[in-house]
């Protein structure tokens, strides 16, 4: 007569174990405008120069989170808009973890360290600007998931470049790409600050556990 009670108790215990396992599993991360890589991606070795004239290498990424984007100081629209947005969002990006914002100039011919310094100071003095020769830039931009190309000739040439961000972990590995998106057909893709803040903080929280 005790057998049914033993079976019931075993079933209840199994259900409890299953529920506990389900609760302990990580909830799927819901991102607004980003693609998270299935596994962190190592970056190509690089040696660049920052706005102070100092070497900026993979070692400068260790121990802190990094948010990269590429552009150039003569950019007429995307770059100043992005810099303004990032400056506005910066205080809300990872309040509990150190994060550096890195502007990667892909126009070394015109973007001297003095020009980069003035550009950064205008938007946010806490940001870092780096550049290098194209032979140095191409491996690291590709490694970050960015592309760029020079358009036109003469002193007023332009640079076509990615409008995404790359989030890099304190281990120096690429975690995610934050990409522009359109809310509806016919609208220009963009990265909203609210989506950027949500995704960066959610990703950092996940990898900081």
């Amino acid at each position: 007569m005790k057998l049914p009670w033993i079976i019931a108790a075993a079933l209840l215990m199994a259900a409890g174990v299953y529920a506990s396992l389900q609760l302990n599993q990580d909830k799927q991360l819901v991102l607004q405008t980003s693609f998270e890589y299935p596994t962190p991606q190592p970056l190509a070795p690089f040696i660049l120069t920052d706005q102070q004239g100092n070497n900026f290498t993979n070692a400068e990424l260790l121990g802190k989170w990094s948010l990269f984007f590429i552009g150039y100081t003569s950019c007429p629209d995307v770059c100043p808009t992005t810099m303004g947005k990032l400056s506005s969002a910066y205080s809300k990006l990872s309040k509990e973890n150190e994060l550096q914002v890195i502007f990667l100039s892909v126009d070394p011919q015109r973007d001297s360290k003095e020009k980069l310094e003035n550009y950064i100071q205008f938007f946010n003095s806490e940001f870092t600007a780096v550049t290098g020769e194209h032979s140095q830039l191409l491996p690291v931009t590709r490694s970050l998931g960015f592309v760029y190309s020079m358009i036109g000739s003469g002193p007023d040439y332009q640079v076509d470049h990615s409008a995404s961000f790359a989030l890099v972990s304190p281990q120096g590995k690429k975690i995610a790409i934050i990409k522009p998106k359109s809310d509806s057909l016919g609208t220009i893709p963009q990265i909203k600050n609210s989506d950027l803040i949500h995704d960066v903080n959610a990703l950092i929280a996940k990898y900081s556990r």
Side-chain angles (χ1 to χ4, degrees), residues 55-71:
N55 281 350
F56 189 92
T57 70
N58 301 71
E60 273 62 57
L61 305 181
L62 302 179
K64 62 179 76 69
W65 287 89
S66 302
L67 189 65
F68 277 90
F69 73 103
I70 68 170

Side-chain angles (χ1 to χ4, degrees), residues 157-172:
Y157 66 87
Q158 296 191 14
V159 184
D160 191 14
H161 60 86
S162 301
S164 302
F165 301 123
L167 183 64
V168 176
S169 75
Q171 290 74 43

Side-chain angles (χ1 to χ4, degrees), residues 31-68:
L31 300 173
Q32 305 299 320
T33 189
S34 304
F35 169 76
E36 179 188 4
Y37 290 93
T39 57
Q41 304 293 305
L43 298 183
F46 61 83
I47 302 176
L48 302 172
T49 305
D50 69 14
Q51 75 268 29
Q52 304 294 331
N54 301 316
N55 281 350
F56 189 92
T57 70
N58 301 71
E60 273 62 57
L61 305 181
L62 302 179
K64 62 179 76 69
W65 287 89
S66 302
L67 189 65
F68 277 90

